[in-house]
Structures are given as structure tokens and as C-alpha cells.
Amino acid sequence: EVQLVESGGGLVQPGGSLRLSCAASGFTFSSVAMMWVRQAPGKAFEWLSYITIGGITVYADSVKGRFTISRDNTKNTLYLQMNSLKVEDTAVYYCAIGYRTLSGTPPGQGTQVTVFS
């Protein structure tokens, strides 16, 4: 069974930073691309970034230059370093298998990020 457990969210002021983690189990983590998505209250899921098995990264324009996706295949863990956070980054953040297309709802519970001024 695929399990993805996100953590690292919290409250932060604009301009601050957070590092999200996604612990993966139940599948061969090193053999799949992984992505981060988020969902703000009352809005659809927004794709943020993906990382390939070879480490190639791609970002949405909304986070390019501020967020960095990475992975540690020895720990089966995906990361999202978020810098220069803005109020509009407030959302629940999820990790998922794949590139850009989210199949259904993410399997994890997500982690809440709240940026407040």
C-alpha cells in the first residue's frame, strides 16, 4: 500500500522559510518521479513542482526561484524547501507520485502551511 506522510508545515511570517518532508513507503521510491501540490481553502489543487528519478526538477511559475524540491532515495523522503514565503502560499501541501497530473486526491493527509502578516 502506498503511504505518503507529509510534515514540516507551520505558521510563518511573510519572507520566512519552511522545509517540508514527505516520507514514502509501500513502493519503490527511487523508481518514480515525485511531485508537490497544494490546496488553498476553497480552491482546486495547484501543482507546484516535480523531480524525476534522475533529479531533474521543474517548477510552477508561482514558486520558481523560491521553492526547491529534492529527494533522498536512501531515506525514501521527498523535500520542499520554501523560502521567501508569501501570504498567498497559505495552503495544505501534499506530495504525490508522478509529474504534473494528480490522479484523484493525494493519499497523504497533507501538512498545513500558514503565512500570516
Side-chain angles (χ1 to χ4, degrees), residues 74-104:
T74 66
K75 297 182 179 179
N76 288 351
T77 302
L78 180 73
Y79 302 100
L80 187 67
Q81 177 67 44
M82 306 188 297
N83 299 328
S84 303
L85 282 162
K86 305 175 181 180
V87 172
E88 51 264 43
D89 293 319
T90 295
V92 180
Y93 285 69
Y94 302 86
C95 59
I97 297 171
Y99 293 89
R100 294 181 185 264
T101 303
L102 190 61
S103 299

